[in-house]
Amino acid sequence: MYNFEKNIKMTSLTEEDYIKAIYKLYRIKNKPVSTNAIAEVMEIKPSSVTDMIKKLSAKGFLEYEKYKGVSITEKGKKKALQIIRKHRLWEFFLVEKLNFKWDEIHVIAEQLEHIDSDELIDKLEGYLNYPKFDPHGDPIPDKHGNITHHKDFTVFDLEEGKQAVILGLKTDNADLLKFLDTHQIKLQDTLKVLAKNKFDNSVSIEINGKQINFTEKTAKNIYVKTIK
Amino acid sequence: MYNFEKNIKMTSLTEEDYIKAIYKLYRIKNKPVSTNAIAEVMEIKPSSVTDMIKKLSAKGFLEYEKYKGVSITEKGKKKALQIIRKHRLWEFFLVEKLNFKWDEIHVIAEQLEHIDSDELIDKLEGYLNYPKFDPHGDPIPDKHGNITHHKDFTVFDLEEGKQAVILGLKTDNADLLKFLDTHQIKLQDTLKVLAKNKFDNSVSIEINGKQINFTEKTAKNIYVKTIK
DNA sequence: ATTTATTTTTAGATTTGTCTAAATTTTATT
DNA sequence: AATAAAATTTAGACAAATCTAAAAATAAAT
Ligand SMILES: [Mn+2]
Ligand SMILES: [Mn+2]
Ligand SMILES: [Mn+2]
Ligand SMILES: [Mn+2]
């Protein structure tokens, strides 16, 4: 009953969240990430970030040059992909097995991703039948950290008249997900761009027989691939 | 993607481990628990315990009188049973769905028990079909904290010649579990006490057609009920 | 009833992760 | 190129959870 069995994790929950955030920022910009950018997405102060990136560089997860921003090392990338893998597998579990809705799972997965057990995550993956995408359409890295990212091509990038299929979402933000639910929009749905509105940069689309106007922000958060 | 969505838990992982340990100690002794006893099961120093029990008393989980030990309040008991509920439901999940062996699950459940989401645990319970006992035979509290404990009656308490069924284990210790595996002993197996050995307090039993000698320590960790 | 041993608490230090305020460096603007 | 603005780092403080060493209280033994 009383085996607290010292949980000797090599990375703290906090460090893991930093590594993940920095990995994601670095991946989209593909150049050193600024202290402020990290502080912003993590909702903490830049001075805290400075301390932590020093520590994570010392541990070999990041490469850091004072005042020049940080990039992620191979070691850091591997760690980040492990955490992302766990996050997305747990999200899949929550939706497929426990019947959560896709806007309810991110916060829970944010905790579950830090559970430390390789065996657990590998067995979970098998139990779920090796899913390739999470409920938001994001690809799930395999146990070696291999992953194929979505092309950075969104509804906003479509030209008028083009047809496309929804592949995934750039964010797990619950409000976006609820908005899509409201309009019965799901992954794999087909849409057609009716008009790109110059005035406010919104995009008018037709989807499932209905017409909807996406704001620029919304349009830029939905990954698509064109068809035919 | 970047919603760290501040995890505002009312109790830290550490506080939860204290509350659980103190609840368990108080339950078996049914009188104030000593600082040293807590330090011992948690494998930390008594001075650390003193600090924490002050804090947990201030928060209303414990009742503490200097130099007189601590007891658990109703609020503390409720919190402890919530954590125990989570621990045991996750253990059940790990064995039944992910095919872990019963000696591998405790350490993982020790982490999972701190995941903060009532909805998660209630859905998990439903998914598992409302199990009443965990893989070690320990009862799982319901969502209101109701639980029926095993009577404190072990193999060691059986008289010579008595037959009994194994109900559960007092500890999740992996070494005990592996020992039982080695001899193919499972929950619900029937055993018969062949002899109680005065010399070393060991107990000779017959189980599944085989004969085995339990040390006092082992015998005292196996809950049983007599039959006929 | 003293003395001794044990238990418990206090005092002070340490590590982790955060903050504010000030100093420094880099970047942008005149 | 000098100045202003923005970004980044440093310095110092704080809360949480732990530790060691010393002091105080309680319990046990003479
Ligand atoms: Mn997280
Ligand atoms: Mn997702
Ligand atoms: Mn725990
Ligand atoms: Mn158990």
Side-chain angles (χ1 to χ4, degrees), chain B residues 18 22 34-36 38-39 44-57 62 64 66-67 70:
Chain B
Y18 272 94
I22 293 166
S34 77
T35 302
N36 271 6
I38 299 165
I44 53 175
K45 301 293 165 185
S47 54
S48 307
V49 173
T50 302
D51 282 349
M52 184 55 93
I53 60 189
K54 277 182 194 165
K55 189 168 137 192
L56 291 175
S57 305
L62 304 175
Y64 166 54
K66 243 188 193 175
Y67 292 103
V70 280

mmCIF file of all heavy atoms in Angstrom, chain B residues 18 22 34-36 38-39 44-57 62 64 66-67 70, chain C residues 7-11, chain D residues 18-21:
data_model
loop_
_atom_site.group_PDB
_atom_site.id
_atom_site.type_symbol
_atom_site.label_atom_id
_atom_site.label_comp_id
_atom_site.label_asym_id
_atom_site.label_seq_id
_atom_site.Cartn_x
_atom_site.Cartn_y
_atom_site.Cartn_z
ATOM 1 N N TYR B 18 0.278 13.075 1.162
ATOM 2 C CA TYR B 18 0.210 13.141 2.622
ATOM 3 C C TYR B 18 -1.183 12.754 3.120
ATOM 4 O O TYR B 18 -1.332 11.946 4.033
ATOM 5 C CB TYR B 18 0.504 14.565 3.112
ATOM 6 C CG TYR B 18 1.958 14.906 3.353
ATOM 7 C CD1 TYR B 18 2.724 15.519 2.356
ATOM 8 C CD2 TYR B 18 2.576 14.649 4.573
ATOM 9 C CE1 TYR B 18 4.047 15.872 2.567
ATOM 10 C CE2 TYR B 18 3.904 14.998 4.793
ATOM 11 C CZ TYR B 18 4.637 15.607 3.795
ATOM 12 O OH TYR B 18 5.950 15.944 4.022
ATOM 13 N N ILE B 22 -1.913 9.627 5.568
ATOM 14 C CA ILE B 22 -2.426 9.866 6.914
ATOM 15 C C ILE B 22 -3.802 9.221 7.089
ATOM 16 O O ILE B 22 -4.096 8.614 8.113
ATOM 17 C CB ILE B 22 -2.469 11.377 7.222
ATOM 18 C CG1 ILE B 22 -1.035 11.921 7.285
ATOM 19 C CG2 ILE B 22 -3.202 11.641 8.529
ATOM 20 C CD1 ILE B 22 -0.916 13.421 7.242
ATOM 21 N N SER B 34 1.182 9.524 14.656
ATOM 22 C CA SER B 34 2.396 10.230 15.057
ATOM 23 C C SER B 34 3.170 10.741 13.854
ATOM 24 O O SER B 34 3.109 10.183 12.755
ATOM 25 C CB SER B 34 3.294 9.303 15.869
ATOM 26 O OG SER B 34 3.958 8.405 15.020
ATOM 27 N N THR B 35 3.874 11.827 14.089
ATOM 28 C CA THR B 35 4.730 12.434 13.068
ATOM 29 C C THR B 35 5.707 11.413 12.495
ATOM 30 O O THR B 35 5.881 11.319 11.284
ATOM 31 C CB THR B 35 5.504 13.605 13.701
ATOM 32 O OG1 THR B 35 4.559 14.536 14.236
ATOM 33 C CG2 THR B 35 6.368 14.306 12.682
ATOM 34 N N ASN B 36 6.323 10.648 13.375
ATOM 35 C CA ASN B 36 7.297 9.649 12.919
ATOM 36 C C ASN B 36 6.675 8.571 12.036
ATOM 37 O O ASN B 36 7.293 8.134 11.069
ATOM 38 C CB ASN B 36 7.961 8.982 14.122
ATOM 39 C CG ASN B 36 9.185 9.750 14.563
ATOM 40 O OD1 ASN B 36 9.483 10.824 14.047
ATOM 41 N ND2 ASN B 36 9.897 9.211 15.533
ATOM 42 N N ILE B 38 4.172 8.858 10.049
ATOM 43 C CA ILE B 38 3.952 9.435 8.720
ATOM 44 C C ILE B 38 5.271 9.528 7.960
ATOM 45 O O ILE B 38 5.365 9.128 6.796
ATOM 46 C CB ILE B 38 3.306 10.839 8.835
ATOM 47 C CG1 ILE B 38 1.945 10.734 9.534
ATOM 48 C CG2 ILE B 38 3.163 11.475 7.463
ATOM 49 C CD1 ILE B 38 1.402 12.064 10.021
ATOM 50 N N ALA B 39 6.287 10.038 8.657
ATOM 51 C CA ALA B 39 7.607 10.174 8.033
ATOM 52 C C ALA B 39 8.090 8.816 7.531
ATOM 53 O O ALA B 39 8.652 8.703 6.443
ATOM 54 C CB ALA B 39 8.595 10.756 9.038
ATOM 55 N N ILE B 44 10.291 10.231 4.340
ATOM 56 C CA ILE B 44 10.840 11.583 4.467
ATOM 57 C C ILE B 44 11.140 11.852 5.941
ATOM 58 O O ILE B 44 10.845 11.009 6.796
ATOM 59 C CB ILE B 44 9.857 12.657 3.946
ATOM 60 C CG1 ILE B 44 8.503 12.475 4.612
ATOM 61 C CG2 ILE B 44 9.730 12.597 2.431
ATOM 62 C CD1 ILE B 44 7.534 13.546 4.241
ATOM 63 N N LYS B 45 11.725 13.001 6.225
ATOM 64 C CA LYS B 45 12.123 13.312 7.590
ATOM 65 C C LYS B 45 10.956 13.872 8.411
ATOM 66 O O LYS B 45 10.106 14.583 7.867
ATOM 67 C CB LYS B 45 13.255 14.339 7.577
ATOM 68 C CG LYS B 45 14.481 13.883 6.840
ATOM 69 C CD LYS B 45 15.142 12.726 7.569
ATOM 70 C CE LYS B 45 16.144 12.036 6.661
ATOM 71 N NZ LYS B 45 16.718 10.835 7.271
ATOM 72 N N PRO B 46 10.932 13.567 9.700
ATOM 73 C CA PRO B 46 9.849 14.059 10.563
ATOM 74 C C PRO B 46 9.677 15.575 10.528
ATOM 75 O O PRO B 46 8.550 16.074 10.605
ATOM 76 C CB PRO B 46 10.291 13.606 11.962
ATOM 77 C CG PRO B 46 11.138 12.414 11.723
ATOM 78 C CD PRO B 46 11.852 12.682 10.434
ATOM 79 N N SER B 47 10.758 16.305 10.389
ATOM 80 C CA SER B 47 10.624 17.766 10.386
ATOM 81 C C SER B 47 9.811 18.247 9.187
ATOM 82 O O SER B 47 9.069 19.221 9.284
ATOM 83 C CB SER B 47 11.998 18.433 10.408
ATOM 84 O OG SER B 47 12.801 17.955 9.353
ATOM 85 N N SER B 48 9.948 17.546 8.066
ATOM 86 C CA SER B 48 9.143 17.900 6.893
ATOM 87 C C SER B 48 7.668 17.627 7.170
ATOM 88 O O SER B 48 6.792 18.403 6.778
ATOM 89 C CB SER B 48 9.593 17.082 5.680
ATOM 90 O OG SER B 48 10.972 17.209 5.472
ATOM 91 N N VAL B 49 7.425 16.527 7.863
ATOM 92 C CA VAL B 49 6.041 16.170 8.183
ATOM 93 C C VAL B 49 5.409 17.234 9.063
ATOM 94 O O VAL B 49 4.273 17.665 8.819
ATOM 95 C CB VAL B 49 5.984 14.790 8.877
ATOM 96 C CG1 VAL B 49 4.576 14.486 9.355
ATOM 97 C CG2 VAL B 49 6.483 13.695 7.942
ATOM 98 N N THR B 50 6.134 17.670 10.057
ATOM 99 C CA THR B 50 5.599 18.710 10.951
ATOM 100 C C THR B 50 5.120 19.922 10.153
ATOM 101 O O THR B 50 4.005 20.417 10.359
ATOM 102 C CB THR B 50 6.674 19.157 11.958
ATOM 103 O OG1 THR B 50 7.114 18.017 12.702
ATOM 104 C CG2 THR B 50 6.111 20.181 12.928
ATOM 105 N N ASP B 51 5.962 20.381 9.242
ATOM 106 C CA ASP B 51 5.577 21.532 8.418
ATOM 107 C C ASP B 51 4.286 21.266 7.648
ATOM 108 O O ASP B 51 3.373 22.083 7.625
ATOM 109 C CB ASP B 51 6.681 21.863 7.406
ATOM 110 C CG ASP B 51 7.836 22.608 8.062
ATOM 111 O OD1 ASP B 51 7.679 23.040 9.222
ATOM 112 O OD2 ASP B 51 8.888 22.750 7.417
ATOM 113 N N MET B 52 4.235 20.123 6.999
ATOM 114 C CA MET B 52 3.092 19.842 6.140
ATOM 115 C C MET B 52 1.802 19.642 6.930
ATOM 116 O O MET B 52 0.736 20.075 6.495
ATOM 117 C CB MET B 52 3.389 18.617 5.278
ATOM 118 C CG MET B 52 2.297 18.300 4.268
ATOM 119 S SD MET B 52 1.865 19.668 3.164
ATOM 120 C CE MET B 52 2.931 19.360 1.774
ATOM 121 N N ILE B 53 1.890 18.986 8.088
ATOM 122 C CA ILE B 53 0.641 18.766 8.836
ATOM 123 C C ILE B 53 0.094 20.089 9.390
ATOM 124 O O ILE B 53 -1.115 20.268 9.500
ATOM 125 C CB ILE B 53 0.781 17.697 9.953
ATOM 126 C CG1 ILE B 53 1.819 18.061 10.987
ATOM 127 C CG2 ILE B 53 1.100 16.346 9.351
ATOM 128 C CD1 ILE B 53 2.134 16.949 11.976
ATOM 129 N N LYS B 54 0.973 21.033 9.644
ATOM 130 C CA LYS B 54 0.495 22.368 10.021
ATOM 131 C C LYS B 54 -0.313 22.960 8.871
ATOM 132 O O LYS B 54 -1.396 23.502 9.067
ATOM 133 C CB LYS B 54 1.684 23.289 10.298
ATOM 134 C CG LYS B 54 2.252 23.158 11.689
ATOM 135 C CD LYS B 54 3.392 24.167 11.818
ATOM 136 C CE LYS B 54 4.239 23.891 13.035
ATOM 137 N NZ LYS B 54 5.522 24.622 12.972
ATOM 138 N N LYS B 55 0.266 22.841 7.683
ATOM 139 C CA LYS B 55 -0.379 23.416 6.507
ATOM 140 C C LYS B 55 -1.721 22.736 6.213
ATOM 141 O O LYS B 55 -2.720 23.402 5.952
ATOM 142 C CB LYS B 55 0.569 23.230 5.321
ATOM 143 C CG LYS B 55 0.159 23.959 4.083
ATOM 144 C CD LYS B 55 1.298 23.947 3.080
ATOM 145 C CE LYS B 55 0.839 23.666 1.680
ATOM 146 N NZ LYS B 55 1.963 23.382 0.780
ATOM 147 N N LEU B 56 -1.715 21.410 6.276
ATOM 148 C CA LEU B 56 -2.942 20.677 5.953
ATOM 149 C C LEU B 56 -4.015 20.865 7.026
ATOM 150 O O LEU B 56 -5.203 20.772 6.732
ATOM 151 C CB LEU B 56 -2.634 19.193 5.736
ATOM 152 C CG LEU B 56 -1.830 18.878 4.475
ATOM 153 C CD1 LEU B 56 -1.472 17.397 4.407
ATOM 154 C CD2 LEU B 56 -2.594 19.283 3.215
ATOM 155 N N SER B 57 -3.590 21.126 8.257
ATOM 156 C CA SER B 57 -4.574 21.431 9.303
ATOM 157 C C SER B 57 -5.195 22.789 9.038
ATOM 158 O O SER B 57 -6.414 22.959 9.134
ATOM 159 C CB SER B 57 -3.898 21.443 10.676
ATOM 160 O OG SER B 57 -3.237 20.230 10.905
ATOM 161 N N LEU B 62 -6.815 18.112 8.187
ATOM 162 C CA LEU B 62 -6.360 17.370 9.360
ATOM 163 C C LEU B 62 -6.695 18.136 10.623
ATOM 164 O O LEU B 62 -6.945 19.343 10.588
ATOM 165 C CB LEU B 62 -4.834 17.178 9.302
ATOM 166 C CG LEU B 62 -4.227 16.508 8.067
ATOM 167 C CD1 LEU B 62 -2.711 16.521 8.171
ATOM 168 C CD2 LEU B 62 -4.744 15.090 7.914
ATOM 169 N N TYR B 64 -4.892 18.804 14.265
ATOM 170 C CA TYR B 64 -3.545 18.626 14.764
ATOM 171 C C TYR B 64 -3.369 19.347 16.073
ATOM 172 O O TYR B 64 -3.703 20.525 16.214
ATOM 173 C CB TYR B 64 -2.573 19.176 13.719
ATOM 174 C CG TYR B 64 -1.157 19.373 14.175
ATOM 175 C CD1 TYR B 64 -0.444 18.325 14.750
ATOM 176 C CD2 TYR B 64 -0.532 20.605 14.019
ATOM 177 C CE1 TYR B 64 0.863 18.514 15.146
ATOM 178 C CE2 TYR B 64 0.777 20.791 14.407
ATOM 179 C CZ TYR B 64 1.477 19.747 14.977
ATOM 180 O OH TYR B 64 2.768 19.933 15.377
ATOM 181 N N LYS B 66 -0.249 20.017 18.718
ATOM 182 C CA LYS B 66 1.205 19.919 18.856
ATOM 183 C C LYS B 66 1.611 18.794 19.806
ATOM 184 O O LYS B 66 1.100 18.706 20.922
ATOM 185 C CB LYS B 66 1.730 21.238 19.431
ATOM 186 C CG LYS B 66 2.654 21.972 18.498
ATOM 187 C CD LYS B 66 3.245 23.148 19.258
ATOM 188 C CE LYS B 66 3.925 24.120 18.338
ATOM 189 N NZ LYS B 66 4.397 25.313 19.087
ATOM 190 N N TYR B 67 2.523 17.995 19.351
ATOM 191 C CA TYR B 67 3.061 16.878 20.135
ATOM 192 C C TYR B 67 2.051 15.757 20.373
ATOM 193 O O TYR B 67 2.357 14.771 21.015
ATOM 194 C CB TYR B 67 3.615 17.351 21.490
ATOM 195 C CG TYR B 67 4.844 18.210 21.379
ATOM 196 C CD1 TYR B 67 4.770 19.583 21.536
ATOM 197 C CD2 TYR B 67 6.087 17.644 21.110
ATOM 198 C CE1 TYR B 67 5.889 20.386 21.425
ATOM 199 C CE2 TYR B 67 7.221 18.439 20.994
ATOM 200 C CZ TYR B 67 7.122 19.812 21.157
ATOM 201 O OH TYR B 67 8.241 20.590 21.047
ATOM 202 N N VAL B 70 -1.796 13.703 14.637
ATOM 203 C CA VAL B 70 -2.872 14.243 13.799
ATOM 204 C C VAL B 70 -3.950 13.222 13.553
ATOM 205 O O VAL B 70 -3.686 12.022 13.480
ATOM 206 C CB VAL B 70 -2.369 14.663 12.392
ATOM 207 C CG1 VAL B 70 -1.703 16.002 12.444
ATOM 208 C CG2 VAL B 70 -1.472 13.610 11.782
ATOM 209 P P DT C 7 11.049 6.899 19.064
ATOM 210 O OP1 DT C 7 10.077 5.831 18.794
ATOM 211 O OP2 DT C 7 12.237 7.105 18.208
ATOM 212 O "O5'" DT C 7 10.256 8.288 19.116
ATOM 213 C "C5'" DT C 7 9.246 8.469 20.101
ATOM 214 C "C4'" DT C 7 8.752 9.904 20.029
ATOM 215 O "O4'" DT C 7 9.759 10.797 20.536
ATOM 216 C "C3'" DT C 7 8.434 10.375 18.622
ATOM 217 O "O3'" DT C 7 7.082 10.803 18.645
ATOM 218 C "C2'" DT C 7 9.438 11.491 18.344
ATOM 219 C "C1'" DT C 7 9.781 11.963 19.754
ATOM 220 N N1 DT C 7 11.135 12.574 19.965
ATOM 221 C C2 DT C 7 11.220 13.800 20.588
ATOM 222 O O2 DT C 7 10.249 14.429 20.961
ATOM 223 N N3 DT C 7 12.505 14.268 20.763
ATOM 224 C C4 DT C 7 13.674 13.636 20.387
ATOM 225 O O4 DT C 7 14.763 14.154 20.606
ATOM 226 C C5 DT C 7 13.515 12.358 19.737
ATOM 227 C C7 DT C 7 14.711 11.598 19.292
ATOM 228 C C6 DT C 7 12.266 11.894 19.557
ATOM 229 P P DT C 8 6.322 11.405 17.364
ATOM 230 O OP1 DT C 8 4.872 11.224 17.574
ATOM 231 O OP2 DT C 8 6.984 10.887 16.146
ATOM 232 O "O5'" DT C 8 6.647 12.955 17.464
ATOM 233 C "C5'" DT C 8 6.139 13.684 18.573
ATOM 234 C "C4'" DT C 8 6.639 15.109 18.503
ATOM 235 O "O4'" DT C 8 8.067 15.118 18.676
ATOM 236 C "C3'" DT C 8 6.387 15.790 17.159
ATOM 237 O "O3'" DT C 8 5.446 16.822 17.383
ATOM 238 C "C2'" DT C 8 7.755 16.279 16.702
ATOM 239 C "C1'" DT C 8 8.573 16.231 17.985
ATOM 240 N N1 DT C 8 10.038 16.015 17.829
ATOM 241 C C2 DT C 8 10.914 16.932 18.368
ATOM 242 O O2 DT C 8 10.554 17.936 18.952
ATOM 243 N N3 DT C 8 12.248 16.637 18.191
ATOM 244 C C4 DT C 8 12.766 15.534 17.542
ATOM 245 O O4 DT C 8 13.976 15.392 17.453
ATOM 246 C C5 DT C 8 11.810 14.614 17.008
ATOM 247 C C7 DT C 8 12.270 13.390 16.277
ATOM 248 C C6 DT C 8 10.500 14.891 17.169
ATOM 249 P P DT C 9 4.995 17.848 16.254
ATOM 250 O OP1 DT C 9 3.649 18.318 16.589
ATOM 251 O OP2 DT C 9 5.270 17.250 14.932
ATOM 252 O "O5'" DT C 9 6.024 19.053 16.476
ATOM 253 C "C5'" DT C 9 6.029 19.717 17.743
ATOM 254 C "C4'" DT C 9 7.158 20.725 17.779
ATOM 255 O "O4'" DT C 9 8.415 20.040 17.576
ATOM 256 C "C3'" DT C 9 7.082 21.795 16.686
ATOM 257 O "O3'" DT C 9 7.048 23.058 17.331
ATOM 258 C "C2'" DT C 9 8.356 21.590 15.858
ATOM 259 C "C1'" DT C 9 9.271 20.881 16.834
ATOM 260 N N1 DT C 9 10.304 19.997 16.233
ATOM 261 C C2 DT C 9 11.636 20.250 16.486
ATOM 262 O O2 DT C 9 12.021 21.192 17.154
ATOM 263 N N3 DT C 9 12.511 19.360 15.907
ATOM 264 C C4 DT C 9 12.191 18.260 15.132
ATOM 265 O O4 DT C 9 13.063 17.535 14.685
ATOM 266 C C5 DT C 9 10.778 18.051 14.913
ATOM 267 C C7 DT C 9 10.320 16.880 14.088
ATOM 268 C C6 DT C 9 9.914 18.915 15.471
ATOM 269 P P DT C 10 6.874 24.393 16.487
ATOM 270 O OP1 DT C 10 6.152 25.355 17.332
ATOM 271 O OP2 DT C 10 6.378 24.046 15.145
ATOM 272 O "O5'" DT C 10 8.384 24.898 16.345
ATOM 273 C "C5'" DT C 10 9.082 25.289 17.528
ATOM 274 C "C4'" DT C 10 10.505 25.655 17.161
ATOM 275 O "O4'" DT C 10 11.171 24.494 16.595
ATOM 276 C "C3'" DT C 10 10.640 26.779 16.123
ATOM 277 O "O3'" DT C 10 11.552 27.722 16.660
ATOM 278 C "C2'" DT C 10 11.200 26.072 14.892
ATOM 279 C "C1'" DT C 10 11.984 24.935 15.529
ATOM 280 N N1 DT C 10 12.238 23.725 14.709
ATOM 281 C C2 DT C 10 13.524 23.281 14.575
ATOM 282 O O2 DT C 10 14.478 23.844 15.062
ATOM 283 N N3 DT C 10 13.658 22.133 13.828
ATOM 284 C C4 DT C 10 12.647 21.401 13.221
ATOM 285 O O4 DT C 10 12.903 20.392 12.590
ATOM 286 C C5 DT C 10 11.321 21.926 13.412
ATOM 287 C C7 DT C 10 10.160 21.215 12.805
ATOM 288 C C6 DT C 10 11.175 23.045 14.136
ATOM 289 P P DA C 11 11.610 29.196 16.019
ATOM 290 O OP1 DA C 11 11.395 30.118 17.146
ATOM 291 O OP2 DA C 11 10.748 29.279 14.825
ATOM 292 O "O5'" DA C 11 13.125 29.286 15.529
ATOM 293 C "C5'" DA C 11 14.117 28.419 16.072
ATOM 294 C "C4'" DA C 11 15.351 28.435 15.175
ATOM 295 O "O4'" DA C 11 15.442 27.176 14.464
ATOM 296 C "C3'" DA C 11 15.365 29.533 14.101
ATOM 297 O "O3'" DA C 11 16.685 30.051 14.018
ATOM 298 C "C2'" DA C 11 14.948 28.794 12.839
ATOM 299 C "C1'" DA C 11 15.550 27.412 13.087
ATOM 300 N N9 DA C 11 14.862 26.304 12.416
ATOM 301 C C8 DA C 11 13.518 26.145 12.216
ATOM 302 N N7 DA C 11 13.199 25.025 11.596
ATOM 303 C C5 DA C 11 14.420 24.406 11.385
ATOM 304 C C6 DA C 11 14.774 23.182 10.778
ATOM 305 N N6 DA C 11 13.880 22.341 10.261
ATOM 306 N N1 DA C 11 16.072 22.867 10.721
ATOM 307 C C2 DA C 11 16.979 23.712 11.241
ATOM 308 N N3 DA C 11 16.773 24.889 11.845
ATOM 309 C C4 DA C 11 15.453 25.178 11.877
ATOM 310 P P DT D 18 7.826 17.028 0.204
ATOM 311 O OP1 DT D 18 7.776 15.882 -0.728
ATOM 312 O OP2 DT D 18 6.789 17.224 1.234
ATOM 313 O "O5'" DT D 18 9.235 17.050 0.963
ATOM 314 C "C5'" DT D 18 10.384 16.580 0.302
ATOM 315 C "C4'" DT D 18 11.612 17.381 0.686
ATOM 316 O "O4'" DT D 18 11.329 18.771 0.926
ATOM 317 C "C3'" DT D 18 12.291 17.009 1.998
ATOM 318 O "O3'" DT D 18 12.911 15.763 1.934
ATOM 319 C "C2'" DT D 18 13.271 18.156 2.108
ATOM 320 C "C1'" DT D 18 12.521 19.328 1.441
ATOM 321 N N1 DT D 18 12.210 20.460 2.349
ATOM 322 C C2 DT D 18 13.223 21.347 2.642
ATOM 323 O O2 DT D 18 14.351 21.241 2.207
ATOM 324 N N3 DT D 18 12.858 22.383 3.482
ATOM 325 C C4 DT D 18 11.618 22.607 4.040
ATOM 326 O O4 DT D 18 11.418 23.561 4.765
ATOM 327 C C5 DT D 18 10.611 21.628 3.694
ATOM 328 C C7 DT D 18 9.217 21.771 4.250
ATOM 329 C C6 DT D 18 10.949 20.623 2.874
ATOM 330 P P DC D 19 13.328 14.990 3.224
ATOM 331 O OP1 DC D 19 13.607 13.594 2.826
ATOM 332 O OP2 DC D 19 12.324 15.279 4.265
ATOM 333 O "O5'" DC D 19 14.690 15.711 3.652
ATOM 334 C "C5'" DC D 19 15.767 15.793 2.711
ATOM 335 C "C4'" DC D 19 16.834 16.729 3.258
ATOM 336 O "O4'" DC D 19 16.257 18.055 3.369
ATOM 337 C "C3'" DC D 19 17.293 16.368 4.670
ATOM 338 O "O3'" DC D 19 18.516 15.663 4.605
ATOM 339 C "C2'" DC D 19 17.480 17.700 5.360
ATOM 340 C "C1'" DC D 19 16.805 18.718 4.481
ATOM 341 N N1 DC D 19 15.702 19.440 5.184
ATOM 342 C C2 DC D 19 15.979 20.701 5.754
ATOM 343 O O2 DC D 19 17.139 21.139 5.674
ATOM 344 N N3 DC D 19 14.985 21.378 6.389
ATOM 345 C C4 DC D 19 13.767 20.854 6.445
ATOM 346 N N4 DC D 19 12.822 21.565 7.072
ATOM 347 C C5 DC D 19 13.458 19.571 5.869
ATOM 348 C C6 DC D 19 14.450 18.909 5.261
ATOM 349 P P DT D 20 19.077 15.007 5.978
ATOM 350 O OP1 DT D 20 20.035 13.987 5.513
ATOM 351 O OP2 DT D 20 17.941 14.645 6.842
ATOM 352 O "O5'" DT D 20 19.857 16.179 6.747
ATOM 353 C "C5'" DT D 20 20.833 16.964 6.082
ATOM 354 C "C4'" DT D 20 21.432 17.954 7.084
ATOM 355 O "O4'" DT D 20 20.435 18.959 7.434
ATOM 356 C "C3'" DT D 20 21.860 17.312 8.417
ATOM 357 O "O3'" DT D 20 23.065 17.952 8.835
ATOM 358 C "C2'" DT D 20 20.700 17.614 9.355
ATOM 359 C "C1'" DT D 20 20.238 18.979 8.834
ATOM 360 N N1 DT D 20 18.789 19.262 9.041
ATOM 361 C C2 DT D 20 18.413 20.482 9.564
ATOM 362 O O2 DT D 20 19.215 21.339 9.895
ATOM 363 N N3 DT D 20 17.058 20.665 9.694
ATOM 364 C C4 DT D 20 16.067 19.775 9.358
ATOM 365 O O4 DT D 20 14.884 20.062 9.520
ATOM 366 C C5 DT D 20 16.526 18.508 8.810
ATOM 367 C C7 DT D 20 15.528 17.468 8.421
ATOM 368 C C6 DT D 20 17.842 18.319 8.678
ATOM 369 P P DA D 21 23.908 17.383 10.082
ATOM 370 O OP1 DA D 21 25.326 17.510 9.689
ATOM 371 O OP2 DA D 21 23.351 16.079 10.502
ATOM 372 O "O5'" DA D 21 23.583 18.457 11.219
ATOM 373 C "C5'" DA D 21 23.564 19.834 10.870
ATOM 374 C "C4'" DA D 21 23.151 20.654 12.087
ATOM 375 O "O4'" DA D 21 21.705 20.794 12.105
ATOM 376 C "C3'" DA D 21 23.531 20.042 13.439
ATOM 377 O "O3'" DA D 21 23.891 21.105 14.302
ATOM 378 C "C2'" DA D 21 22.252 19.341 13.882
ATOM 379 C "C1'" DA D 21 21.194 20.320 13.349
ATOM 380 N N9 DA D 21 19.878 19.748 13.084
ATOM 381 C C8 DA D 21 19.581 18.486 12.612
ATOM 382 N N7 DA D 21 18.286 18.268 12.473
ATOM 383 C C5 DA D 21 17.701 19.462 12.880
ATOM 384 C C6 DA D 21 16.354 19.879 12.966
ATOM 385 N N6 DA D 21 15.320 19.110 12.630
ATOM 386 N N1 DA D 21 16.118 21.130 13.414
ATOM 387 C C2 DA D 21 17.161 21.906 13.735
ATOM 388 N N3 DA D 21 18.470 21.638 13.701
ATOM 389 C C4 DA D 21 18.672 20.381 13.253
#
